[in-house]
Amino acid sequence: MDEQKLLERFMWLSIAASVLVIGLKLVAAWVTGSVGFLSDAIESTINLVAASVGLWAIKLAAKPADDNHNFGHARAEYFAAQVEGFLILVASVVIIITAVGRIINPQPLEQLGIGLVFSIVATAINAGVGIVLIRAGKKYRSTTLDADGRHLITDVWTTVGVIVGMALVWLTGWEILDPIVALLVGANILFTGYSLLRGAILGLLAETLPEDEVATVKSFLADYSAAHGVEFTSVRTTAAGRQRFVDLVMQVPGQWTVDKSHDHADAVEEGIAAALGGAETIIHVEPLGHPTTVGPMTPQIPPVSAD
């Protein structure tokens, strides 16, 4: 199956799961009157909105480069992660306000046993879909799938906390635990929203690739340098959604022809793409020993050579 269609199907899976989970949690909140269950349902509603935005972002990110976007539209996935993070922050505020109101004006809870059953089923669905999305996000280097999967897993732990709290209310009759649990839920997803926003902003700031991927690039370049008598300097890396970019200078013996240098540049581009599982590499060719000038504000990876 085409990778793009597969990613879209993952997002449709997330949307379908969110709709089902929202229904289950709303029923739990309705039959019990619990603000803890209600806060959990609110978070799942945010999951649905975020998944819908994520689907849009994945579709947009797949559009080819054009005159206004020479490097494609891959950064749209970071926008989706920002929207999701912002929505989580909004949900946390709503939950906290609702919980404080319930502390001030407590209300009795009913049929907690039935509510717990619905909530446990919803948790199992979120856990399964969340794990699938995170694995797919890593496999296909999709920021959107990874963010959505992590959000679902956060929702799982949130619901586990709610279940424990409601079970304690059911066993002890301490109804004050209900809004307290809701407050903890709000604080937890407040941190989650902050983490998602931070990751998306760093992506938009063209952060370097993860350390393990940078090490993979450097290892390939060192091996190529030793085998072919060339050196690499000014190696820079970044990512845009699922796309990886590598920019470097390749210094070659001065007597090489343009054709020979070009052939080696092609080989390096193909080698890096194979080592990373996909990458676009831009190579500037210079004669060995030529001083390489890079702007003072440009972060550098040390020169890579056979030594």
Side-chain angles (χ1 to χ4, degrees):
M1 180 186 296
D2 176 74
E3 182 176 307
Q4 177 62 25
K5 291 182 179 179
L6 186 60
L7 294 179
E8 291 178 13
R9 287 194 176 186
F10 279 121
M11 292 311 302
W12 278 115
L13 173 64
S14 178
I15 290 171
S18 294
V19 170
L20 180 57
V21 166
I22 289 170
L24 291 170
K25 290 183 177 180
L26 285 176
V27 170
W30 178 65
V31 300
T32 62
S34 165
V35 71
F37 283 140
L38 178 61
S39 67
D40 204 19
I42 291 174
E43 183 178 3
S44 293
T45 302
I46 299 302
N47 289 348
L48 175 60
V49 176
S52 300
V53 174
L55 177 62
W56 167 82
I58 284 179
K59 287 179 175 290
L60 179 58
K63 292 179 64 176
D66 54 35
D67 291 339
N68 293 326
H69 306 87
N70 295 164
F71 291 93
H73 300 76
R75 291 191 187 276
E77 293 202 39
Y78 295 123
F79 172 74
Q82 284 185 317
V83 171
E84 184 164 358
F86 175 75
L87 290 175
I88 292 174
L89 293 180
V90 172
S92 68
V93 172
V94 172
I95 290 169
I96 290 171
I97 292 174
T98 304
V100 171
R102 183 60 64 88
I103 290 176
I104 296 173
N105 299 300
Q107 297 180 17
L109 305 181
E110 300 176 358
Q111 303 185 73
L112 279 177
I114 297 176
L116 287 171
V117 171
F118 279 104
S119 190
I120 290 171
V121 174
T123 302
I125 294 171
N126 267 345
V129 175
I131 291 172
V132 168
L133 292 180
I134 291 174
R135 289 178 177 175
K138 291 180 179 178
K139 181 177 180 179
Y140 299 107
R141 305 184 307 280
S142 171
T143 303
T144 301
L145 287 183
D146 183 68
D148 203 55
R150 291 183 185 279
H151 188 185
L152 289 180
I153 294 301
T154 300
D155 195 13
V156 168
W157 289 113
T158 297
T159 307
V160 168
V162 171
I163 290 172
V164 171
M166 294 305 99
L168 289 175
V169 173
W170 190 26
L171 294 172
T172 65
W174 297 345
E175 294 180 349
I176 190 63
L177 290 176
D178 179 35
I180 291 176
V181 167
L183 283 175
L184 293 175
V185 169
N188 179 52
I189 67 173
L190 186 67
F191 177 76
T192 301
Y194 162 77
S195 299
L196 280 175
L197 282 174
R198 181 178 181 276
I201 290 172
L202 289 176
L204 290 173
L205 292 176
E207 191 178 31
T208 60
L209 294 178
E211 290 184 6
D212 59 329
E213 295 187 358
V214 172
T216 296
V217 172
K218 291 178 65 176
S219 176
F220 169 79
L221 294 178
D223 291 342
Y224 197 93
S225 175
H228 300 284
V230 299
E231 292 187 2
F232 298 96
T233 63
S234 304
V235 183
R236 295 174 291 177
T237 67
T238 190
R242 302 195 302 276
Q243 296 179 351
R244 297 184 184 92
F245 296 96
V246 179
D247 183 282
L248 57 86
V249 172
M250 181 175 69
Q251 295 190 335
V252 304
Q255 68 272 20
W256 278 16
T257 64
V258 173
D259 279 346
K260 184 172 183 178
S261 300
H262 181 269
D263 289 342
H264 279 273
D266 282 347
V268 171
E269 292 174 6
E270 293 171 1
I272 291 176
L276 290 179
E280 181 175 328
T281 302
I282 299 174
I283 301 175
H284 176 69
V285 178
E286 293 179 349
L288 278 170
H290 189 279
T292 301
T293 302
V294 180
M297 298 301 292
T298 304
Q300 290 296 295
I301 298 174
V304 179
S305 65
D307 299 332

